Amino acid sequence: MKSLKIVIIGGGSSYTPELIEGIINNYDVLPVSEIWLVDILEGREKLMIIAGLAKRMIAQADCSIKIVETLDRREALKDANYVITQIRVGQLDMRRSDEYLSLKHGVIGQETTGAGGFMKALRTIPVMLDICEDIEELAPEAWLLNFTNPAGIITEAILKHSNVKVVGLCNNPINFYKKFAKDYQVPMKDVSIQFVGINHLNWITDFYIKGKSRLNDVLAGVSASYEAKNIPGLEWDPIFLQSLGAIPCGYHKYYYQTDQILAEQLKNYKKGYTRADQVQQVEKELFTIYEDPSTMEKPDALEQRGGAYYSEAAVNLLTSIHLDNKQIHTVNVRNNGAISCLPNDVCIEVNCIVENQQITPIQTGNVSPQIRGLLQVVKTYEELTVEAAVTRKIGTALQALTIHPLIPSAKKAHELLQDMLIANEAYFQPILYFGGDHV
């Protein structure tokens, strides 16, 4: 069997040890010979710590995998079979800036949703498209597994503006499989879930345990839906759930419970504390554990970063592609008519049949009006965000922000955009004028 070269761009991420663990656990079916960990100069210290831990994990597992850490992306990408992207342009400092700037303007601050996700996308899309140019040249047959957030928007930009074979991935769907398997005390293979939506805006329209629909268990309050550690734990109104006729994901709370979440965020903001501050503290503690020479495995504390089962989702998908076993995974791909109320060329997150040469979305059927309304609006925001990042037109950026449900007015969007351009000047420098339009 051909040996595999895997490249992880953003190799200094605190999530990397979980990915290494997943590759080790699947070493019998994934003949990986090399893992290249790539980062930028500002992330060099973290990259060295992660590489040291990865080498100890590989040695303890007695796997013949070579770990190479480098700042040279092009050298790493040459002849890669799989590329995994998990970058954060501006690192956690800019995530904090995004959250504080949003809350300064009285809107929800979140890294992938609303104004925060918008800023992150505009910083990230140009960098990701540069990476894709290198992949096209140096590893044209490689699959790109994108974890970089906002995953749906980033994946859509790649689908529209590169020729790379890309699939976007999130840990939200696998968390639901884990939750339902645990609730009903069955193995995951006995759980089947129907998803409709886009990344971080995905509804479960039905789920089955051993072939029997159990959706009403959740709608009636018998079984609680999954809540991620990084999403505020607010209860769903049972009347709302029953009339929705579907299970929302945790990120829906930013849309369906906006006032409650914003009030809580503003309270913490006034105290000088947001989710970004919490993540920075968790990350600091994680790297203290990682650099300890006695650490030989991924610590449990990593789950506090909100990425539980991240590696399992990634490695399961990678294995399915490699083995061409035509399994079903819930991933981010081009729509191609799977959700009939959305354009064909946008990125959606649905169940897909995974093959070595292609990943095909499964038709979802009719989408109910209560789902369709919010889905179409947020998807339109995503389309405009991709266009703004690529065309650099300030008017497109303004329209993207204005149409987002969490931005209350065009005036607020304009004020936010002005402050965003200043706060992100180092990253938006080539797009400050957005093609000649004026703020």
Side-chain angles (χ1 to χ4, degrees):
M1 191 179 288
K2 179 184 175 183
S3 61
L4 300 178
K5 177 181 180 180
I6 296 177
V7 178
I8 303 173
I9 299 180
S13 165
S14 59
Y15 288 123
T16 301
E18 187 161 0
L19 198 52
I20 299 297
E21 178 187 68
I23 293 170
I24 289 172
N25 290 342
N26 289 270
Y27 186 61
D28 57 331
V29 292
L30 280 178
V32 179
S33 60
E34 299 176 38
I35 301 174
W36 288 63
L37 305 178
V38 183
D39 222 299
I40 58 174
L41 184 60
E42 293 84 347
R44 184 173 186 172
E45 182 180 354
K46 288 182 177 178
L47 177 64
M48 296 301 110
I49 292 172
I50 293 294
L53 173 56
K55 290 172 184 176
R56 294 194 299 273
M57 292 171 71
I58 294 294
Q60 177 162 284
D62 196 24
C63 295
S64 300
I65 301 176
K66 180 182 180 182
I67 301 288
V68 183
E69 64 273 23
T70 182
L71 304 181
D72 189 336
R73 185 175 79 207
R74 288 179 59 83
E75 178 190 12
L77 284 172
K78 185 172 174 55
D79 299 325
N81 300 106
Y82 296 96
V83 181
I84 297 171
T85 44
Q86 50 179 25
I87 69 172
R88 184 182 291 279
V89 179
Q91 304 185 70
L92 285 173
D93 286 342
M94 287 311 298
R95 173 179 178 167
R96 187 177 189 275
S97 171
D98 293 345
E99 292 183 5
Y100 275 76
L101 180 56
S102 300
L103 290 164
K104 170 191 169 185
H105 285 273
V107 300
I108 281 175
Q110 212 280 327
E111 79 161 324
T112 63
T113 301
F118 179 73
M119 287 183 267
K120 192 174 196 297
L122 287 191
R123 284 196 303 271
T124 306
I125 287 172
V127 177
M128 289 295 294
L129 293 181
D130 282 347
I131 291 171
C132 287
E133 286 187 8
D134 286 347
I135 295 173
E136 287 180 17
E137 177 188 348
L138 301 166
E141 298 304 314
W143 272 99
L144 169 58
L145 278 61
N146 175 54
F147 270 100
T148 299
N149 274 323
I153 299 177
I154 302 302
T155 304
E156 181 163 321
I158 296 169
L159 286 167
K160 288 180 172 178
H161 298 285
S162 87
N163 295 313
V164 171
K165 296 189 297 184
V166 64
V167 56
L169 205 56
C170 180
N171 66 328
N172 265 345
I174 195 173
N175 280 322
F176 276 110
Y177 278 96
K178 294 277 188 181
K179 168 66 177 174
F180 294 145
K182 181 179 178 182
D183 281 355
Y184 293 94
Q185 298 183 333
V186 297
M188 278 179 57
K189 67 180 180 62
D190 289 336
V191 180
S192 176
I193 306 177
Q194 293 179 0
F195 291 96
V196 173
I198 56 181
N199 183 241
H200 289 184
L201 196 75
N202 206 322
W203 291 260
I204 292 175
T205 54
D206 210 342
F207 74 96
Y208 301 84
I209 304 297
K210 294 185 176 181
K212 180 181 179 181
S213 174
R214 305 306 293 260
L215 177 67
N216 286 332
D217 291 354
V218 174
L219 301 186
V222 176
S223 172
S225 62
Y226 170 79
E227 303 293 356
K229 287 185 170 61
N230 58 328
I231 305 293
L234 302 175
E235 295 297 322
W236 291 110
D237 174 3
I239 296 176
F240 170 77
L241 277 187
Q242 289 164 27
S243 57
L244 178 64
I247 301 170
C249 75
Y251 287 86
H252 278 95
K253 291 186 175 180
Y254 296 109
Y255 301 92
Y256 292 149
Q257 302 182 18
T258 309
D259 52 350
Q260 295 165 270
I261 288 185
L262 180 57
E264 184 66 23
Q265 285 193 350
L266 286 172
K267 184 170 68 175
N268 290 331
Y269 167 70
K270 289 172 183 174
K271 296 177 183 177
Y273 185 80
T274 69
R275 170 67 181 169
D277 294 298
Q278 181 185 0
V279 168
Q280 285 183 317
Q281 181 59 39
V282 171
E283 183 125 314
K284 183 178 178 182
E285 294 169 1
L286 281 171
F287 274 91
T288 299
I289 298 171
Y290 291 167
E291 65 182 340
D292 184 341
S294 66
T295 301
M296 300 288 183
E297 58 187 23
K298 175 205 76 177
D300 293 339
L302 182 54
E303 288 194 14
Q304 298 304 314
R305 280 288 277 109
Y309 311 124
Y310 151 67
S311 73
E312 189 171 344
V315 177
N316 286 350
L317 176 62
L318 197 155
T319 303
S320 281
I321 295 173
H322 183 67
L323 297 180
D324 196 23
N325 59 16
K326 298 173 177 57
Q327 287 186 343
I328 293 176
H329 293 258
T330 311
V331 289
N332 291 263
V333 296
R334 183 180 279 111
N335 182 20
N336 287 341
I339 299 180
S340 60
C341 64
L342 296 180
N344 287 337
D345 65 344
V346 301
C347 181
I348 61 172
E349 187 176 82
V350 295
N351 291 338
C352 298
I353 299 172
V354 175
E355 300 175 272
N356 181 261
Q357 78 281 8
Q358 66 184 6
I359 298 178
T360 307
I362 297 172
Q363 194 82 20
T364 61
N366 290 330
V367 178
S368 66
Q370 53 267 50
I371 290 175
R372 186 176 69 236
L374 181 58
L375 175 60
Q376 288 179 321
V377 171
V378 177
K379 174 43 70 179
T380 302
Y381 147 79
E382 293 192 352
E383 290 181 89
L384 289 168
T385 299
V386 171
E387 184 181 342
V390 173
T391 65
R392 304 176 179 182
K393 290 182 178 177
I394 200 80
T396 307
L398 178 59
Q399 290 298 319
L401 260 186
T402 301
I403 204 170
H404 197 284
L406 299 184
I407 309 301
S409 68
K411 182 175 183 291
K412 180 66 70 177
H414 198 164
E415 293 168 350
L416 261 167
L417 193 55
Q418 288 178 310
D419 274 4
M420 282 169 48
L421 293 177
I422 295 169
N424 288 272
E425 185 176 5
Y427 307 95
F428 293 175
Q429 192 63 44
I431 58 175
L432 275 176
Y433 60 94
F434 271 60
D437 293 344
H438 298 285
V439 179

